[in-house]
Amino acid sequence: SCKSSCSSHSDILSSSVRSQDPNQRRVLDSATRQRRLTRQLEALEKDNFQDDPHASLPQLVKRLPQFDESNESGKRRKKTRGDHFKQRFRKNFQTLLEEEDLSVSEGPNYLTACAEPSKFPLRHFCALCGLPSNYTCVSCGARYCCVRCLGTHHETRCLKWTV
Amino acid sequence: MSTLVLDNGANFAKIGYSHEKVSVIPNGQFRSKTSRLKTFTASQLDEIKDPSGLFYILPFQKGYLVNWDVQRKVWDHLFGKDMFKVDFADTNIVITEPYFNFSSIQDTMNEILFEEYQFQSALRINAGSLSAHQYFHENNSELCCIVVDSSFSFTHIVPYCRGRKMKEGICRINVGGKLLTNHLKEIISYRQLHVMDETYVINQVKEDVCYVSQDFYKDMEIAQLKGEDNTVMRDYVLPDFSSIKKGFCKPREEMNFTGKYKTAEQILRLTNERFAVPEMLFHPSDIGIQEMGIPEALVNSINNMPEEMQPHFYKNIVLTGGNTLFPGFRDRVYTEVRALAPVEYQVSVVLPQNPICYPWEGGKLLAENPDFEEMVVTREDYEENGHYVCEEKFDI
């Protein structure tokens, strides 16, 4: 059985990118890897990965009144519904956080409340199958657990997968 | 005079009059690929027959209310004739806000409640404070409790002593249900099938199959086994919204362990994903978020409290929020805190029967409190004194 696993090993190695000249294979530096990780984490905060179904609708159709609006009684149309208030009501999170100017505040606040890093050792998991991983892809830093997963990673995802 | 209690969450609004029961309604607007012209608001989500590729328009970002256009549209619907038919001049409102809510958002909230909707009076409060109120009512000999609120946007751990929150002990872990669902979408898309656009469907998968492991490495070993020995593996049948309206797990007798399925169903095979996804609540660093998990943060929070209070906090840990519904969540929190806590302290972790509505129940209780009138700010109060009176009275 050692013989058969050795031959399948070399099959994978010969068809994978590892057999190429290492100088030809792009290697990301740690700053780039950190940027990719940050982008991945930010993507986890998204509400939608697809476009708004209404985005391509012609303008005329978009102005069709919704049932709620047409049934509102006159006294509900207060000044706060006017256009000049709209910008204030739609700021994004980052802007609001900056406006709060927490660096000058004393005592506990949104920023100080954030949990500190864990004191326990980190664990790593294979990006392909989710099992515990001991190895890192030389090019992009993705984790893998065995040569088979690395082969699949190089063939399909290495430096190609973005959210 | 009636009181409307609204736990205004980033995912769901838990709303109801204090003398009636609570309703759990999506807090957002939705668009569907099939009903292309309409925007569905809040409970109208039920009218969508095919939620594939469902598009979400949510008023909250990272747990804070930033888009008032959308929030008002949802509230118009909730307060209007189709739902709660609020008579504003005759109604108090108890409404929740996140911890450390930004002052600009608090000011806008005052304006919207008093100047636009014109509620007779309002009480703005953190949801966790309502949970603590409910807990102390159910356990009236206890002086301290520590509330874990693990919900859509994040997880907060907040110690309370004699009804007041201890600000220095508030800890926020930036892992919530939204992140868990997005991560599950990503690993399924990476390993099996492109589902990045299917938040609604995969969220249902998460709720149906995920659980919290009591022994992570052991479950990992079982998840690697082949065939029927892999008791962790499940095959999930995805809905097609024509013959299959809702996704479901294949019963084990019907699972095909050796070959491929002959039917036309789209099937997801889930093994370690089932427990690796909720594991992020316990080890955010698994995914690269350099923060403590829930048990470590609980112990850390309690250790920052005065020493004489610490045993009281360990004895009164309350779990709230949707993420606590994962099977095994409560037991895992108990086991880990027990291992980290001093051996002479008693550890007790309580999961209420309905962890999503627990704050609302606290709000209902507060509305019935004889001191309630003194806690609120009336519209006359606000019109005379402005934001100042709200800053004084409300502890957000």
Side-chain angles (χ1 to χ4, degrees):
Chain A
S1 78
C2 177
K3 211 169 169 194
S4 59
S5 69
C6 279
S7 61
S8 62
H9 247 233
S10 60
D11 279 347
I12 289 168
L13 287 176
S14 59
S15 64
S16 86
V17 188
R18 281 178 78 182
S19 60
Q20 284 179 10
D21 181 353
N23 291 328
Q24 286 180 355
R25 184 143 186 86
R26 203 169 137 225
V27 173
L28 299 181
D29 62 21
S30 59
T32 314
R33 291 182 188 192
Q34 187 54 48
R35 268 203 306 276
R36 285 183 105 213
L37 177 63
T38 309
R39 258 212 324 267
Q40 267 179 296
L41 290 179
E42 278 168 16
L44 287 173
E45 285 290 335
K46 284 170 82 163
D47 290 337
N48 299 291
F49 292 82
Q50 70 274 43
D51 295 327
D52 186 346
H54 283 200
S56 52
L57 286 183
Q59 270 300 115
L60 189 61
V61 176
K62 274 194 213 170
R63 283 212 208 95
L64 284 178
Q66 302 192 341
F67 286 107
D68 301 332
E69 286 182 47
S70 61
N71 281 346
E72 264 183 63
S73 61
K75 75 179 169 99
R76 293 289 314 285
R77 291 224 169 260
K78 294 286 165 198
K79 59 181 160 76
T80 45
R81 297 254 168 169
D83 273 354
H84 58 289
F85 278 94
K86 278 202 173 141
Q87 202 41 52
R88 176 158 70 92
F89 288 166
R90 260 193 248 142
K91 288 184 182 164
N92 73 12
F93 176 82
Q94 198 53 40
T95 310
L96 289 168
L97 177 60
E98 282 163 20
E99 284 178 4
E100 198 69 356
D101 204 11
L102 291 172
S103 51
V104 300
S105 75
E106 287 172 12
N109 61 42
Y110 173 82
L111 295 174
T112 63
C114 187
E116 290 162 11
S118 170
K119 296 190 171 51
F120 294 112
L122 296 181
R123 316 178 307 183
H124 305 287
F125 301 97
C126 176
L128 272 296
C129 65
L131 298 175
S133 148
N134 289 327
Y135 315 109
T136 313
C137 170
V138 167
S139 297
C140 72
R143 295 272 169 175
Y144 64 96
C145 63
C146 63
V147 178
R148 258 184 71 201
C149 282
L150 178 65
T152 313
H153 172 72
H154 275 151
E155 280 161 33
T156 56
R157 303 290 188 188
C158 190
L159 299 178
K160 294 191 189 105
W161 170 257
T162 47
V163 175
Chain B
M1 185 75 77
S2 49
T3 299
L4 187 66
V5 178
L6 169 54
D7 181 3
N8 198 49
N11 193 15
F12 288 110
K14 282 71 71 180
I15 181 171
Y17 288 106
S18 60
H19 57 277
E20 292 175 0
K21 61 179 179 52
V22 63
S23 301
V24 179
I25 298 168
N27 191 7
Q29 293 191 296
F30 308 92
R31 289 181 179 152
S32 147
K33 289 185 312 196
T34 40
S35 308
R36 290 205 66 220
L37 295 185
K38 187 164 160 149
T39 297
F40 298 82
T41 301
S43 54
Q44 291 171 348
L45 178 63
D46 293 339
E47 296 168 26
I48 298 182
K49 293 288 163 258
D50 180 0
S52 53
L54 191 68
F55 186 83
Y56 287 68
I57 306 164
L58 304 177
F60 280 71
Q61 253 180 47
K62 301 192 86 157
Y64 290 80
L65 209 184
V66 306
N67 192 325
W68 288 96
D69 293 338
V70 179
Q71 186 64 92
R72 283 181 305 182
K73 292 209 174 85
V74 175
W75 283 354
D76 286 349
H77 176 81
L78 294 179
F79 299 157
K81 59 175 180 46
D82 289 333
M83 298 222 62
F84 288 91
K85 307 178 186 48
V86 179
D87 177 8
F88 299 100
D90 203 41
T91 307
N92 307 315
I93 183 165
V94 175
I95 186 167
T96 59
E97 292 184 8
Y99 291 103
F100 299 121
N101 198 14
F102 306 149
S103 48
S104 54
I105 304 179
Q106 291 193 47
D107 289 349
T108 310
M109 177 72 89
N110 292 336
E111 283 179 39
I112 302 279
L113 292 178
F114 288 125
E115 294 177 34
E116 175 154 329
Y117 289 105
Q118 302 191 329
F119 280 96
Q120 159 61 13
S121 72
L123 167 55
R124 296 192 288 106
I125 190 168
N126 300 124
S129 303
L130 295 178
S131 298
H133 183 72
Q134 179 69 19
Y135 184 81
F136 287 129
H137 172 78
E138 293 169 352
N139 301 273
N140 51 23
S141 56
E142 299 301 325
L143 299 166
C144 299
C145 76
I146 184 160
V147 176
V148 177
D149 182 0
S150 186
S151 320
F152 185 71
S153 314
F154 36 39
T155 297
H156 274 101
I157 290 163
V158 185
Y160 281 84
C161 184
R162 292 177 205 278
R164 289 205 74 85
K165 70 183 182 222
M166 321 250 331
K167 278 195 162 146
E168 328 73 69
I170 299 181
C171 181
R172 181 187 71 253
I173 305 170
N174 292 305
V175 178
K178 175 197 218 178
L179 189 137
L180 299 181
T181 299
N182 274 340
H183 181 62
L184 183 58
K185 277 163 46 184
E186 208 181 298
I187 54 185
I188 291 176
S189 298
Y190 196 90
R191 298 171 194 175
Q192 289 187 59
L193 180 71
H194 190 271
V195 292
M196 294 310 293
D197 297 348
E198 304 299 335
T199 306
Y200 185 85
V201 174
I202 301 300
N203 191 69
Q204 194 60 53
V205 173
K206 178 190 78 172
E207 292 179 7
D208 287 345
V209 312
C210 286
Y211 68 95
V212 175
S213 168
Q214 301 306 311
D215 185 341
F216 183 75
Y217 292 106
K218 177 146 159 279
D219 277 353
M220 263 301 177
E221 275 175 40
I222 299 172
Q224 294 183 47
L225 299 174
K226 303 267 179 260
E228 289 199 47
D229 290 336
N230 188 339
T231 48
V232 169
M233 174 163 59
R234 291 285 183 277
D235 284 342
Y236 190 90
V237 180
L238 291 171
D240 58 14
F241 304 110
S242 50
S243 47
I244 306 169
K245 297 254 184 267
K246 191 168 186 278
F248 62 95
C249 253
K250 264 196 187 293
R252 274 192 82 81
E253 318 81 74
E254 288 177 30
M255 276 174 67
N256 188 337
F257 292 100
T258 46
K260 283 193 182 297
Y261 287 100
K262 305 271 189 301
T263 54
E265 304 158 318
Q266 259 192 329
I267 292 184
L268 293 177
R269 174 153 285 188
L270 300 163
T271 55
N272 56 57
E273 299 89 346
R274 289 184 65 200
F275 56 89
V277 165
E279 188 69 15
M280 284 174 1
L281 294 162
F282 296 84
H283 288 264
S285 50
D286 283 356
I287 202 197
I289 296 176
Q290 301 307 335
E291 294 174 16
M292 301 177 167
I294 292 175
E296 203 185 341
L298 257 168
V299 173
N300 192 267
S301 236
I302 295 177
N303 284 343
N304 285 336
M305 293 290 104
E307 201 175 327
E308 65 274 11
M309 290 188 194
Q310 290 179 16
H312 295 277
F313 287 120
Y314 279 115
K315 217 164 62 121
N316 294 289
I317 299 173
V318 194
L319 305 176
T320 64
N323 297 328
T324 63
L325 291 171
F326 284 120
F329 186 93
R330 185 248 150 230
D331 289 345
R332 174 73 181 271
V333 172
Y334 173 79
T335 310
E336 295 228 5
V337 172
R338 177 71 277 178
L340 295 168
V343 69
E344 60 270 18
Y345 292 164
Q346 185 190 343
V347 171
S348 162
V349 178
V350 169
L351 177 66
Q353 221 183 1
N354 190 334
I356 291 184
C357 296
Y358 198 66
W360 187 91
E361 289 171 32
K364 172 196 168 85
L365 190 69
L366 197 63
E368 293 161 0
N369 191 307
D371 297 330
F372 182 65
E373 301 290 308
E374 277 127 55
M375 297 184 225
V376 305
V377 169
T378 64
R379 189 157 72 85
E380 290 77 43
D381 252 344
Y382 170 78
E383 278 174 358
E384 273 177 39
N385 301 303
H387 296 301
Y388 167 75
V389 67
C390 294
E391 278 165 35
E392 283 293 296
K393 240 180 177 171
F394 301 145
D395 174 34
I396 297 285

